Amino acid sequence: MNVSPKWICHPQDGRETRLVPVFRRRFSVKSSLKSAVLHLTAHGLYETEINGKAVTRNRFTPGFTSYYYRIQVQKYDVTGLLQQGSNEWSTTVGDGWWRWNNNFGYVLALYGFLELNYTDGSRDTIVTDGQFDVSTGPIIRTDLQKGEIYDACVIPSDWIPAVVCTEHTGGELIETQSVPVREMETFAGKALRDRAGNLVFDFGQNIAGYIRMKLRNTKRGQMIRIKHGEALTPDGLFSTANCDGGKQEFQEIRYICAGREEEAYTPHFAVFGFHYCLVEGLEDFNDVELTAVAVYSAMEETGKFTCSNPLLNRLVENARWSQKGNFLDVPVDCPTRERNTWTGDAMIYCRTAAWLMNVREFFDKWLRDQTIEQYASGKVGITFPSTSSIHHPEEVKRLQEQNPGLTVAGPDGNGHIGEDSVGWGDSSVWIPYQMYLMYGDISFLERQYDTAKRWTDYSLRCMKEKNSRYQKESWYQNGDGDYIYDTRFHYGEWNEPLPPEPEILKLFAEGGTPADYVAYMAQVGRPEVATAYTARSCHILAEMAGMLGKEGDAVYYGNLFEKIRTAYDRYLIAENGIIREGHQAPYIRALALNLVSEKKKPLVINQLKKELKAAGYHLNTGFLSTVYLLPVLCDLGLKDEAFQILEQTEAPGWLHPIILGATTMLENWDGMDTFRDSFNHYSFGAVCEFLFEYVAGIRPRFDGPGFQKFDLRPVIGGTLTWAKAEYKTTYGRIRSEWSLKNGELTYLCEVPDGTEAHLLLPDGQRHILQGGYYEFKAGL
Ligand code: BGC
């Protein structure tokens, strides 16, 4: 269709004014309207109404993409909202991700058109242009994280003509790919007083979303402040100290009452991570009613897991709640402090994400932005669309004056020092591969292959750099320096529940800043992590290449994997099997990624056993290795150890926070005891992969991706007397269930038509099963 809408804005909007514009267009509809379609997008987030009725129940539209390169347009059938004669279309635009941290732009703008088709074949279009009026309304200020100031006394007036926006007008307009973000579960707030006597509401669940507020008997101009936090401190006070990152303005609503007998309010363009709200400005419980609304990408729930240990059942639901709390159009680390679109977290968790909910479209959309924002060097952002580097050229200039180290996002940018980080950048290889496995959709590999390859080549180039700190090491002496990656900054295991290394303690004791730490670590490198993950990416890339018929690449990266693997075994694993004492991660990593020779394997396993014992069968792995810990132990025949760690109720361990009342996954195992860091960090929820694939035993296979073929290999262990899981595939439901009675195992399964299951029971029985229901008895 030949239409030419303009990006329109409020003439006074800008970096300092930060207006929240309301656009209005009055128009007339002739008789015999056949259909009406609205096409809309914004720089910022929009809420649009026709004749006072919301056009959509979708929230946070147009979603978050790498706006300078692609921006989504939504399409709505609005026939039913129009009437013959005069009509009014009005739209409010809030900051959203466009102006969050001033990341993309200073000015909010609207773009779209309304298409009116009549039964006689004629057509009218109304496009965004200077014929729109603009004003500001009751939303005085809005920020995704800081919150919203809303003055219910304000009614938009003083309309002036909207103007054409001259700021960067974003990238290609594309059809929306987002899984719609919706208001999902609601939780009624229970009023209580915290230890200081503050009026607090407890919603019973930590979520990301916002509140619906009903007020009674207010006075005009009275201000109600609502703060959102994740927990009460151990001594019973409302506080956001664990998750606000020291920010002054954080997750707060300021509502100025209109002074009606009853009034209601729901935030428009803000989302908070919370379980509790603190209400100021009201004396009494009776004057306010709060309901919490969980808001996230409406992904279908696909997997269920339950067993005889109720704490494990809660663990699965906590992971699901953290997924819901962090998958709002893009995945973020936590819905509170950072809200960064961290790649490492998503990489670690993506397979669990697919077990719990259908994330096919969600990751499909997100990965495309990774490709777009990949740096020319092949480096991949630690966050994308980048929330850790700035897109807006003027903003970069402005901020670089205060902070010369500030980094620029996008292909032409210079990138953040963390963006060399293995494990984070390797998300470009891992996520599409896992999505292919879980959904059988080869387009994940086809589309992402080049991105994955460019990243791996980048890491391989960095691997060739020399680090003078290690010049005496035998890998340099023997001419194998090209296969040990000992340079650059890497986040590494991140968050191992262990005391920091002495050098790091010294650095901070001498007044070092986090930036000094990063600079120091960039000199030290992390050979045993960086080499391992580059090996893994070569290996997976070779597999992907094979699947895509790229034989040359399959051989090339396959050979590189072998060379790196040999070097790893030779130089990074000592003759006695020690890799790094006091840590479990190095052993788990090397074993999981197949980097240990047959000769050293028993020694490495021995060291691992020693480490587990020394830690009292608590885990001490960090971000990267925790997901591998339990599967590796089971594969090595150390099932008892695996279950002991899994069912451990003291910190560090998955069940400890649950005993203390956690309803989501924590960033730190002892976060609730110490009241520190995020209480809604999904990464460690990746243990669900073990529950589905080992305890319940349903395992996807690459020779029948998307569960066309799968294994059923239940692992019976720990205190469990029964376990069951089910999973919805495109073929139908898979079910796997076992129970133990008097040393005998009863195993039940359901295999969807069109699939093939390879069952292995603990007593060695093997069966190949086609569609149907089955029951087996087995010994242990
Ligand atoms: C985030 C993590 C992230 C990490 C990088 C943290 O501050 O919360 O989830 O992956 O930084 O190591």
Side-chain angles (χ1 to χ4, degrees):
M1 199 186 309
N2 204 3
V3 286
S4 39
K6 304 275 184 293
W7 283 97
I8 54 169
C9 64
H10 192 298
Q12 275 122 43
D13 193 13
R15 198 179 70 79
E16 301 294 337
T17 50
R18 282 189 101 114
L19 302 181
V20 181
V22 183
F23 297 91
R24 182 183 76 178
R25 175 77 156 85
R26 291 187 166 142
F27 59 96
S28 162
V29 172
K30 296 185 290 193
S31 63
S32 66
L33 179 73
K34 194 170 122 206
S35 67
V37 183
L38 175 63
H39 305 249
L40 199 60
T41 190
H43 288 167
L45 299 174
Y46 69 79
E47 278 184 0
T48 192
E49 289 179 352
I50 290 183
N51 296 326
K53 291 221 175 72
V55 165
T56 174
R57 63 189 177 109
N58 297 348
R59 312 287 296 130
F60 296 90
T61 45
F64 190 15
T65 50
S66 190
Y67 295 133
Y68 280 11
Y69 303 92
R70 56 189 212 129
I71 184 157
Q72 303 190 111
V73 179
Q74 281 82 32
K75 203 167 143 183
Y76 308 102
D77 180 346
V78 294
T79 323
L81 296 178
L82 293 167
Q83 61 199 22
Q84 194 184 327
S86 56
N87 289 268
E88 186 176 290
W89 170 19
S90 99
T91 308
T92 306
V93 181
D95 290 21
W97 294 281
W98 180 263
R99 205 155 63 176
W100 187 53
N101 286 343
N102 277 336
N103 201 4
F104 288 92
Y106 297 145
V107 178
L108 303 181
L110 185 69
Y111 179 99
F113 64 96
L114 176 62
E115 176 196 332
L116 303 168
N117 301 305
Y118 294 98
T119 44
D120 63 3
S122 63
R123 165 184 291 166
D124 277 345
T125 50
I126 292 156
V127 300
T128 51
D129 60 12
Q131 289 189 53
F132 274 66
D133 290 330
V134 66
S135 176
T136 50
I139 307 177
I140 308 300
R141 205 202 56 202
T142 183
D143 177 287
L144 280 173
Q145 184 182 38
K146 286 179 188 151
E148 217 156 272
I149 303 175
Y150 189 93
D151 186 345
C153 306
V154 175
I155 297 167
S157 54
D158 302 329
W159 294 94
I160 51 173
V163 295
V164 172
C165 179
T166 52
E167 204 187 30
H168 190 303
T169 47
E172 189 193 343
L173 296 168
I174 57 158
E175 225 176 273
T176 194
Q177 290 169 359
S178 288
V179 176
V181 172
R182 298 246 164 93
E183 293 187 352
M184 307 295 275
E185 297 88 341
T186 55
F187 299 88
K190 260 204 256 143
L192 54 99
R193 294 276 174 190
D194 78 355
R195 210 172 45 80
N198 294 312
L199 179 51
V200 167
F201 282 79
D202 175 355
F203 299 98
Q205 174 64 51
N206 198 15
I207 61 164
Y210 41 68
I211 45 98
R212 279 186 201 140
M213 173 167 71
K214 276 194 196 149
L215 294 168
R216 277 173 292 271
N217 305 320
T218 55
K219 290 195 198 71
R220 193 171 172 81
Q222 176 183 355
M223 196 210 280
I224 317 285
R225 291 171 78 151
I226 302 180
K227 295 182 180 159
H228 301 69
E230 292 189 295
L232 302 183
T233 60
D235 51 355
L237 284 177
F238 175 90
S239 168
T240 57
N242 69 307
C243 63
D244 60 18
K247 291 188 176 105
Q248 290 300 315
E249 288 179 274
F250 182 73
Q251 300 205 146
E252 185 177 327
I253 297 297
R254 285 188 220 165
Y255 179 84
I256 299 154
C257 303
R260 293 189 210 104
E261 212 170 289
E262 270 199 5
E263 48 195 297
Y265 164 77
T266 302
H268 297 260
F269 304 111
V271 60
F272 309 127
F274 69 108
H275 182 141
Y276 294 88
C277 277
L278 173 87
V279 182
E280 286 174 0
L282 280 175
E283 291 303 312
D284 213 307
F285 295 134
N286 298 323
D287 292 339
V288 59
E289 206 178 288
L290 292 188
T291 306
V293 188
V295 182
Y296 54 88
S297 296
M299 305 160 287
E300 186 192 6
E301 297 191 13
T302 44
K304 285 191 195 145
F305 173 91
T306 44
C307 68
S308 56
N309 183 343
L311 294 173
L312 290 177
N313 302 342
R314 182 67 226 192
L315 172 63
V316 175
E317 293 321 307
N318 285 9
R320 202 189 311 267
W321 270 109
S322 279
Q323 181 166 345
K324 292 175 177 178
N326 285 295
F327 281 41
L328 194 158
D329 207 38
V330 291
V332 292
D333 55 338
C334 53
T336 48
R337 179 191 73 217
E338 280 185 41
R339 303 159 178 236
N340 277 323
T341 48
W342 284 103
T343 50
D345 307 41
M347 179 193 83
I348 292 154
Y349 186 82
C350 66
R351 189 145 145 184
T352 286
W355 277 112
L356 297 180
M357 300 174 102
N358 185 344
V359 290
R360 181 173 172 169
E361 266 86 45
F362 182 87
F363 277 117
D364 179 334
K365 163 188 168 276
W366 188 56
L367 286 170
R368 291 172 197 241
D369 289 308
Q370 182 169 53
T371 299
I372 286 167
E373 292 206 351
Q374 184 169 31
Y375 298 98
S377 59
K379 193 150 73 155
V380 158
I382 33 174
T383 62
F384 68 88
S386 186
T387 47
S388 44
S389 298
I390 307 284
H391 292 79
H392 190 228
E394 239 179 273
E395 186 62 4
V396 171
K397 228 164 87 195
R398 191 180 75 87
L399 291 178
Q400 271 178 345
E401 279 165 25
Q402 303 152 25
N403 171 10
L406 191 92
T407 53
V408 184
D412 307 325
N414 51 354
H416 183 281
I417 190 165
E419 286 170 344
D420 294 322
S421 225
V422 298
W424 274 252
D426 293 298
S427 59
S428 59
V429 186
W430 187 253
I431 300 177
Y433 187 65
Q434 295 301 324
M435 290 300 110
Y436 171 62
L437 175 66
M438 295 302 275
Y439 297 113
D441 178 355
I442 192 87
S443 73
F444 272 103
L445 302 188
E446 290 165 345
R447 225 180 9 256
Q448 298 306 129
Y449 184 78
D450 282 341
T451 307
K453 180 172 154 151
R454 287 178 55 213
W455 159 260
T456 308
D457 289 343
Y458 174 75
S459 296
L460 288 164
R461 281 202 306 280
C462 296
M463 204 174 208
K464 289 198 166 128
E465 293 167 348
K466 310 246 174 298
N467 187 343
S468 55
R469 178 180 281 267
Y470 297 107
Q471 66 192 6
K472 293 213 175 73
E473 293 291 345
S474 48
W475 58 84
Y476 283 125
Q477 304 308 317
N478 299 342
D480 281 336
D482 284 2
Y483 301 109
I484 297 290
Y485 188 174
D486 56 10
T487 55
R488 307 259 168 176
F489 175 82
H490 305 279
Y491 290 105
E493 275 300 324
W494 194 253
N495 247 356
E496 276 172 307
L498 288 169
E501 309 280 320
E503 311 84 71
I504 307 299
L505 281 175
K506 187 163 166 266
L507 184 141
F508 285 115
E510 287 168 0
T513 61
D516 297 328
Y517 162 77
V518 169
Y520 169 74
M521 288 310 294
Q523 286 166 25
V524 175
R526 290 190 198 259
E528 84 265 14
V529 186
T531 311
Y533 276 84
T534 305
R536 186 185 80 169
S537 280
C538 285
H539 175 61
I540 292 172
L541 205 61
E543 297 279 308
M544 276 190 186
M547 290 162 185
L548 293 171
K550 297 175 189 289
E551 294 311 328
D553 278 9
V555 172
Y556 176 76
Y557 291 101
N559 285 339
L560 273 166
F561 169 63
E562 287 303 332
K563 285 194 175 124
I564 301 170
R565 177 176 189 266
T566 309
Y568 197 96
D569 180 74
R570 183 162 175 203
Y571 301 112
L572 299 178
I573 307 178
E575 285 308 315
N576 57 5
I578 291 183
I579 307 177
R580 185 182 279 250
E581 280 177 300
H583 299 247
Q584 295 158 10
Y587 303 94
I588 294 297
R589 181 189 310 125
L591 290 161
L593 306 186
N594 192 13
L595 302 172
V596 189
S597 62
E598 286 311 309
K599 191 175 136 227
K600 286 189 182 164
K601 211 171 192 169
L603 300 163
V604 168
I605 296 171
N606 245 343
Q607 290 303 334
L608 173 62
K609 282 190 194 159
K610 275 195 205 158
E611 294 295 349
L612 295 174
K613 195 165 172 217
Y617 300 96
H618 284 86
L619 56 84
N620 70 25
T621 45
F623 249 50
L624 294 176
S625 294
T626 301
V627 64
Y628 286 127
L629 175 66
L630 304 181
V632 164
L633 294 181
C634 281
D635 291 348
L636 294 173
L638 302 173
K639 184 180 80 172
D640 292 346
E641 287 82 344
F643 276 89
Q644 208 175 336
I645 293 171
L646 173 67
E647 295 193 90
Q648 180 64 261
T649 52
E650 286 164 13
W654 284 278
L655 304 187
H656 179 69
I658 294 176
I659 285 180
L660 298 183
T663 59
T664 38
M665 303 304 305
L666 267 64
E667 183 172 11
N668 291 305
W669 305 105
D670 63 351
M672 294 193 96
D673 315 71
T674 53
F675 204 72
R676 69 180 173 126
D677 295 334
S678 143
F679 285 8
N680 199 353
H681 230 78
Y682 64 81
S683 161
F684 288 136
V687 67
C688 293
E689 195 178 311
F690 176 78
L691 299 176
F692 279 92
E693 299 187 21
Y694 281 72
V695 181
I698 312 171
R699 300 189 202 177
R701 288 171 60 128
F702 274 106
D703 61 351
F707 293 88
Q708 195 273 314
K709 274 191 195 161
F710 55 96
D711 288 334
L712 292 169
R713 293 177 170 228
V715 177
I716 286 80
T719 67
L720 304 191
T721 52
W722 61 268
K724 52 180 161 188
E726 58 181 71
Y727 184 64
K728 212 167 169 182
T729 71
T730 48
Y731 299 95
R733 180 173 72 163
I734 299 175
R735 205 155 51 98
S736 174
E737 261 184 68
W738 57 262
S739 59
L740 267 183
K741 222 183 200 163
N742 306 328
E744 193 187 45
L745 183 75
T746 304
Y747 180 72
L748 297 171
C749 64
E750 183 179 336
V751 178
D753 285 338
T755 69
E756 185 180 286
H758 294 232
L759 172 66
L760 172 63
L761 288 169
D763 63 359
Q765 281 184 64
R766 281 177 188 275
H767 302 272
I768 295 189
L769 310 172
Q770 317 288 342
Y773 298 85
Y774 301 89
E775 179 172 341
F776 298 91
K777 297 277 180 207
L780 288 180

